Amino acid sequence: TLVYFVAGPRLLERLGACIERERQCVETLCTAAETVPDCVRDVVDKSKEALQREKRLQKEVVDLLADKLASMPGRVVAAPKRDSTRDMGEIGKILAGAFDQRRPDAVLVQTFGSKNDGAFLISSATPALVEAAKGSILSALEGRGGGKGGRAQGKCAAVNNVAAAVADAAKALEGLALGAGE
């Protein structure tokens, strides 16, 4: 008929593609077509469990690192450089919070990435410390950025110059006396 003549080949192509996708799912999941939805649900549930497990392990690692960093002397402490700038949004901010709880009297400096794609995160539970140290840290890291409330972040070119940044920030904090709650 005329309908088949106009839509038939496209309809057959579309149905064929649907059947092929179903065949691929069945083959991938090693199951019968009727149980594919159950298998997909199982895969999604296992994926959620794996993500939760990863977050718990990440928190455990961050807590261990925060304990180690908190035991270091000085008012300015540098965390080990992370190779990926994506870590700043995940691990960096979690580490900043954990460190700030343990050492409210200190500043934590974190660097991420490489010379072409570097980033920094400065944090303290005492915002006045970040304000006092930020200028010298930005200068040493060749950075630009900003922040408020005990945090500063941005891009930098000299991610490997963190030792000089810590030394300069420590000098900037010398003689700075803070009252409780500042």
Side-chain angles (χ1 to χ4, degrees):
T1 69
L2 186 57
V3 173
Y4 177 79
F5 179 75
V6 173
R10 286 184 289 178
L11 180 62
L12 289 175
E13 183 178 325
R14 176 78 174 159
L15 289 174
C18 289
I19 291 171
E20 178 59 23
R21 276 195 304 275
E22 180 184 24
R23 188 195 63 74
Q24 288 173 346
C25 283
V26 167
E27 186 178 300
T28 300
L29 296 172
C30 297
T31 186
E34 306 82 47
T35 60
V36 167
D38 292 334
C39 288
V40 169
R41 270 191 287 283
D42 289 345
V43 168
V44 169
D45 289 344
K46 287 178 183 174
S47 167
K48 287 178 184 176
E49 289 171 11
L51 184 61
Q52 289 171 345
R53 188 171 44 255
E54 179 184 345
K55 287 191 180 285
R56 281 193 308 270
L57 290 172
Q58 188 179 57
K59 173 114 175 63
E60 187 176 330
V61 168
V62 165
D63 283 341
L64 290 171
L65 182 57
D67 287 341
K68 180 181 176 190
L69 292 171
S71 70
M72 296 175 77
R75 288 179 91 180
V76 183
V77 177
K81 182 175 93 55
R82 307 281 306 176
D83 291 331
S84 173
T85 55
R86 287 182 296 161
D87 287 344
M88 184 167 75
E90 298 170 13
I91 295 173
K93 291 182 180 176
I94 297 169
L95 178 59
F99 179 83
D100 293 351
Q101 288 178 346
R102 289 164 175 79
R103 287 282 307 273
D105 63 327
V107 174
L108 177 65
V109 180
Q110 300 179 67
T111 53
F112 308 86
S114 62
K115 182 175 172 93
N116 298 332
D117 184 31
F120 68 88
L121 176 61
I122 307 166
S123 67
S124 176
T126 310
L129 289 175
V130 172
E131 283 303 313
K134 182 170 58 173
S136 55
I137 293 170
L138 289 175
S139 178
L141 295 178
E142 298 175 22
R144 63 189 190 292
K148 62 181 180 178
R151 297 259 170 103
Q153 66 185 39
K155 299 222 177 251
C156 64
V159 292
N160 294 325
N161 204 17
V162 72
V166 167
D168 292 349
K171 286 178 189 171
L173 295 179
E174 281 179 8
L176 179 67
L178 297 173
E182 284 189 53

